Amino acid sequence: MRTRTEPRTRLVPHTIDGETKMVPETYTVEVPVPPKDWDHIVLTGALAVVAAGLGIVIVWSTSSIGDLLARAVSEPAIAYAAATGFSLGWIVCMALEWVDRYDPVRIRRPRTAGHVFLAADMAAVCGHGWIADSFIVGVIGAVLSGGAKWLWTLVLDRQAAPLDSRTQQWVNIKRGEIGGRLALGASMRQLNRAEARAAAQEVALRSAPEPSPETPEDQEEAPEDTPELPASGPVTMAEAVRTAISCGITDPDAVLRYVRKVVDANAKEESVARTLRSLRRTA
């Protein structure tokens, strides 16, 4: 059995002048070396080959399809940028296949979409070869894209471990519960933002100037037979009370309202009543 030497560190007591401290000490141990996992090494190499092939295919497809699209636009950069969508479409679907490799139901949609994008990519590459009078070259380029996709499918099938029916159902239920929690969290965030906006609008509306509340005297309706008083009156309370009496207003409350309207809005009721009695006596 093969071994290798590894350094380790431990704390050991060390005493000087009767005082003991724990100090680190380095030592070595011999640990067994596990045998090489050739399956993992081969699979890693296969993934590296597929990744390199994908890079070559992307460059080839982009070059061919970009040259094809450049015949219809004035700016070649736009054509080559659009050409990358053909290859990136089915490559993104391959990435989604990898994510859903343990779920045979969820993997069907990205795999089907990947085949559609791949067919469009291969057709565009063949079309470029036909227009460029090199149909054989176009077919070879299309085969490269199909071969890269096929290699990826083989590697993915090797990595995907099928689950039994009960385990798959348990995973689906657990995924649904977690997805429900995530959806509920996102919904609550939206509701909180909406509630905050509504509260802000209510505060803004409440901050607007409100009309001054009416006093009970203002809310009382004057009798229909009450004489109409002048809108602008004298400047003293006595003259205002005298004007009200001359207009036939003898009710103390009506006189008080008139004095507050034309003289002083804060006129005291007692002062107005005292003036009213004094003028009645002298009348």
Side-chain angles (χ1 to χ4, degrees):
M1 182 177 62
R2 296 177 57 191
T3 62
R4 65 170 179 265
T5 303
E6 290 186 356
R8 303 287 176 85
T9 301
R10 60 188 175 189
L11 294 177
V12 296
H14 185 64
T15 305
I16 297 179
D17 295 335
E19 184 176 359
T20 302
K21 299 291 184 182
M22 301 299 293
V23 297
E25 179 186 51
T26 302
Y27 65 101
T28 59
V29 294
E30 297 292 329
V31 296
V33 178
K36 292 184 178 181
D37 187 355
W38 288 105
D39 292 340
H40 179 71
I41 295 174
V42 171
L43 186 58
T44 302
L47 286 173
V49 172
V50 172
L54 288 176
I56 296 173
V57 166
I58 291 175
V59 174
W60 179 272
S61 298
T62 302
S63 177
S64 299
I65 301 175
D67 183 66
L68 177 64
L69 298 178
R71 302 170 186 266
V73 296
S74 59
E75 185 62 36
I78 299 176
Y80 284 95
T84 58
F86 286 83
S87 298
L88 293 180
W90 59 271
I91 290 176
V92 170
C93 292
M94 288 168 50
L96 296 178
E97 289 183 49
W98 176 269
V99 175
D100 295 330
R101 64 187 181 278
Y102 299 117
D103 193 333
V105 176
R106 292 167 61 95
I107 201 175
R108 292 174 185 171
R109 296 181 65 181
R111 178 165 291 178
T112 302
H115 290 155
V116 173
F117 281 111
L118 177 62
D121 181 272
M122 296 174 66
V125 173
C126 290
H128 174 261
W130 177 270
I131 293 178
D133 295 331
S134 301
F135 183 70
I136 299 301
V137 176
V139 172
I140 294 174
V143 170
L144 288 176
S145 299
K149 171 66 174 176
W150 182 251
L151 287 177
W152 173 259
T153 303
L154 293 177
V155 173
L156 185 64
D157 291 340
R158 182 65 180 81
Q159 287 285 345
L163 303 177
D164 60 272
S165 177
R166 291 188 176 183
T167 303
Q168 186 64 59
Q169 294 179 23
W170 185 93
V171 171
N172 293 338
I173 294 174
K174 192 66 176 179
R175 181 185 291 117
E177 293 176 353
I178 298 175
R181 291 165 54 191
L182 293 174
L184 181 60
S187 300
M188 291 303 299
R189 286 194 298 270
Q190 294 176 1
L191 292 176
N192 291 336
R193 287 194 294 267
E195 181 66 25
R197 290 196 298 269
Q201 291 180 0
E202 292 176 357
V203 172
L205 292 175
R206 285 197 300 267
S207 63
E210 300 180 356
S212 58
E214 297 181 354
T215 61
E217 293 80 0
D218 296 334
Q219 296 177 355
E220 296 179 358
E221 295 183 357
E224 296 181 356
D225 56 350
T226 301
E228 185 175 351
L229 294 169
S232 60
V235 295
T236 64
M237 182 184 301
E239 293 177 355
V241 174
R242 186 178 295 106
T243 301
I245 294 174
S246 63
C247 292
I249 304 299
T250 58
D251 181 62
D253 293 335
V255 174
L256 176 62
R257 287 198 298 270
Y258 178 66
V259 171
R260 287 180 175 176
K261 178 179 180 181
V262 300
V263 179
D264 184 4
N266 298 321
K268 296 182 179 181
E269 182 178 358
E270 297 177 358
S271 300
V272 176
R274 185 169 56 252
T275 305
L276 179 61
R277 290 194 299 269
S278 176
L279 291 177
R280 282 177 177 176
R281 287 195 300 266
T282 59

